[in-house]
Amino acid sequence: MARLVIVSNRVPPLRESGAAAGGLTVALQEAVKRRELLWFGWSGESSDSKEPRMSSAGNTTHALLDLTTAEHRLYYSGFCNGMLWPLLHYRFGLAQFRRTEEEAWRAVNRRFAEALIPLLREDDTIWIHDFHLFPLAAILRELGAKQRIGFFLHVPFPPPAVFAALPRAEALLKDLAAIDLIGVQTDEDARHLAEAMQQQGVDTPVGVFPVGIHAEGFARIAEAAVGRKDGIRFQESLSGRRLIFGVDRLDYSKGLPQRLAGYADLLKRFPQHRGKVTFLQVAPISRGEVSHYRMLRRELDEMVGRINGEFAEVDWVPLRWTTRPVQRRTLAGFLRITRVALVTPLRDGMNLVAKEFVAAQPPEDPGVLILSRFAGAAHELEGAVKVNPNDPDEIAEALDLALTMPLAERKARWRQDFDRLVEAGPSGWSRAFLADLNRAEFAAPG
Ligand code: GDG
């Protein structure tokens, strides 16, 4: 099989550390086991060094570039996280456009392309990931790359009229003509993107490839975690109370203030649950250098204080809150003993936490998933209780429903979703994308 070249902004460590939080690397790690692989991307470090650092383990080679401090600020914090991320999540009001940042973004994509070209073999398949690297394929072609190039967008693509608010959106869309196949998470994203490209005369094929997880593998990790020392300690700390659980990067796309407000509404409107539940929200800090993220953190810290101040008893803390990441194994254990998972993003490309929760459940007594209808995962997980994440009252009602749901209904809802995840298989996503890329008509020049 020909070598696969993955290009993504961030690259997971060659040897797994277990603590990383981020859907893209979680999804990809599962996908590329057992294949000869070159993984190219940013090292996560800042320096003035221009050469990629190479390292290998097994059949995987990493080529990692440092960014300069200025590139990090302008390209990553500025254009990617300050402009494209909010725009693609339908939050144009939070976006800030600066031409210097857009230029730095293009320049970093060019630097990636120039460093990658000498590493390429003629029969490589190139797979580029996410919005950081929209222009990369076009630059690679300009520099003579003739390989097949696929691109996967992990986040949503908004309606063309929203996207058009981006200055120079046309140039970005025209760059996509250099790609042989674009993958997105949902039909809706595919429709939006195809329409936006069409307006620029670009007809690159777009396919829907929902990112999956290794459900049976995750179930095994989750089951084992409950019996470990820290798992037992955590369970004991609940004193028999039912666990409501959420875990998300601390990001405004995840709907955290609305979620906490929904929990407070539950305690207010359905006081029979007071003292009988504990809500643990894990929200590892993410993109702390971007001001909207710092503001969100302050807002949430305050809300947590207010909710606990209002409802706590001397022997009961209703809301546990941490902004520190937890080990993957620990997280799997939390998910297993969760009675109700709250996954309520305002917009999410897919949301892997929703799938991990389903995978982690004990078949004889499964919990209930409360899922935003604006997460890509909502198109697949039909057994979930769907909510509009903008409405705290609806979240409160869904919590009450989930906490009182009879076992037979919980089992039926869970079974259908679990079977679906298992059927999709651990590498179904990448296999389907790469098979279609292999069949795609070639855009390579000459
Ligand atoms: C992007 C798109 C799309 C979270 N906290 C901790 C931790 N995590 C893990 C979760 C999950 C992953 O990180 C998060 O994935 P999501 O899919 O929920 O969200 P994003 O990071 O925004 O990912 C998303 C995804 O890409 C894939 O295409 O689904 O829509 O936004 O696996 O469990 N892991 C550990 N500690 C934590 O504290 N170890």
Side-chain angles (χ1 to χ4, degrees):
M1 205 190 292
R3 184 174 71 162
L4 179 64
V5 176
I6 291 185
V7 193
S8 58
N9 175 60
R10 293 305 299 270
V11 179
L14 261 179
R15 282 165 201 82
E16 224 174 311
S17 68
L24 186 147
T25 54
V26 170
L28 270 172
Q29 260 168 326
E30 202 46 65
V32 296
K33 285 180 182 159
R34 289 186 290 278
R35 188 167 174 176
E36 190 189 359
L37 180 72
L38 170 65
W39 199 326
F40 185 99
W42 173 37
S43 63
E45 317 266 319
S46 297
S47 85
D48 290 328
S49 141
K50 295 286 176 232
E51 290 298 311
R53 274 199 303 279
M54 313 291 294
S55 54
S56 301
N59 51 9
T60 300
T61 299
H62 279 184
L64 303 182
L65 271 185
D66 291 353
L67 295 179
T68 66
T69 328
E71 282 170 341
H72 180 263
R73 192 179 71 245
L74 300 168
Y75 149 84
Y76 184 65
S77 305
F79 197 66
C80 290
N81 291 338
M83 176 70 225
L84 287 178
W85 178 270
L87 175 76
L88 293 166
H89 287 86
Y90 298 59
R91 299 291 290 279
F92 191 72
L94 297 179
Q96 230 183 32
F97 182 81
R98 293 268 185 283
R99 206 174 267 194
T100 47
E101 293 176 351
E102 191 228 26
E103 282 161 4
W105 175 66
R106 289 198 170 271
V108 168
N109 270 268
R110 183 162 295 274
R111 211 148 81 63
F112 268 43
E114 284 167 355
L116 179 57
I117 285 277
L119 304 177
L120 291 177
R121 299 178 194 156
E122 211 171 292
D123 64 343
D124 281 340
T125 297
I126 304 173
W127 193 9
I128 300 170
H129 290 264
D130 239 3
F131 58 94
H132 313 85
L133 303 174
F134 272 134
L136 184 66
I139 305 172
L140 285 169
R141 292 272 184 252
E142 187 194 310
L143 299 177
K146 298 206 166 42
Q147 292 82 352
R148 265 170 212 278
I149 304 183
F151 179 91
F152 192 83
L153 184 65
H154 290 256
V155 299
F157 196 92
V162 174
F163 192 73
L166 172 70
R168 310 205 228 192
E170 306 77 22
L172 186 159
L173 291 165
K174 287 197 174 127
D175 281 344
L176 303 182
I179 299 167
D180 297 300
L181 174 67
I182 300 180
V184 295
Q185 307 265 27
T186 69
D187 290 335
E188 192 180 41
D189 299 325
R191 239 183 3 256
H192 291 159
L193 177 58
E195 210 184 298
M197 287 194 302
Q198 248 161 37
Q199 291 171 359
Q200 303 305 320
V202 174
D203 62 355
T204 304
V206 181
V208 179
F209 305 89
V211 170
I213 63 164
H214 186 349
E216 286 161 309
F218 196 79
R220 280 193 294 272
I221 300 174
E223 194 180 351
V226 176
R228 296 173 53 83
K229 237 202 303 198
D230 51 350
I232 294 171
R233 216 180 62 218
F234 175 66
Q235 204 157 3
E236 280 174 1
S237 80
L238 294 173
S239 313
R241 294 179 174 113
R242 287 161 169 181
L243 177 64
I244 301 171
F245 180 54
V247 53
D248 312 73
R249 285 185 305 98
L250 208 165
D251 192 298
Y252 50 75
S253 68
K254 303 293 184 184
L256 291 167
Q258 293 85 343
R259 186 183 307 173
L260 298 194
Y263 180 61
D265 280 359
L266 172 83
L267 301 178
K268 204 174 296 160
R269 289 176 51 204
F270 303 91
Q272 62 274 26
H273 297 298
R274 288 187 200 171
K276 304 218 169 56
V277 294
T278 295
F279 176 16
L280 168 64
Q281 175 66 51
V282 175
I285 289 171
S286 168
R287 307 176 190 171
E289 68 283 0
V290 181
S291 69
H292 285 297
Y293 288 76
R294 289 196 302 272
M295 278 154 55
L296 175 67
R297 184 179 172 196
R298 266 203 301 279
E299 179 188 352
L300 290 167
D301 282 343
E302 268 174 42
M303 278 186 90
V304 172
R306 262 204 316 274
I307 293 169
N308 279 335
E310 186 172 346
F311 296 101
E313 307 282 344
V314 288
D315 59 351
W316 173 57
V317 179
L319 178 50
R320 298 186 192 179
W321 164 249
T322 172
T323 54
R324 277 176 305 169
V326 296
Q327 289 286 315
R328 187 152 178 79
R329 199 173 52 198
T330 310
L331 192 154
F334 289 171
L335 285 168
R336 183 154 182 108
I337 62 169
T338 291
R339 180 57 197 280
V340 184
L342 273 177
V343 182
T344 56
L346 305 181
R347 279 287 156 189
D348 218 328
M350 175 51 62
N351 196 294
L352 296 181
V353 173
K355 294 188 170 181
E356 289 163 353
F357 169 72
V358 171
Q361 289 311 290
E364 64 294 346
D365 187 19
V368 181
L369 172 62
I370 296 181
L371 180 59
S372 163
R373 68 164 81 127
F374 304 126
H379 298 260
E380 292 177 85
L381 301 177
E382 283 163 13
V385 175
K386 306 279 164 53
V387 293
N388 183 327
N390 298 296
D391 183 358
D393 277 298
E394 195 176 325
I395 293 175
E397 285 152 18
L399 276 167
D400 177 57
L401 178 81
L403 289 164
T404 54
M405 190 179 283
L407 178 63
E409 186 180 348
R410 283 190 274 131
K411 275 185 171 168
R413 284 171 176 264
W414 170 79
R415 173 51 67 185
Q416 123 188 54
D417 288 345
F418 184 75
D419 288 350
R420 187 165 178 162
L421 291 182
V422 170
E423 203 181 307
S427 51
W429 164 66
S430 58
R431 237 182 320 159
F433 180 86
L434 291 169
D436 277 15
L437 175 59
N438 210 31
R439 282 193 291 267
E441 216 177 294
F442 233 176

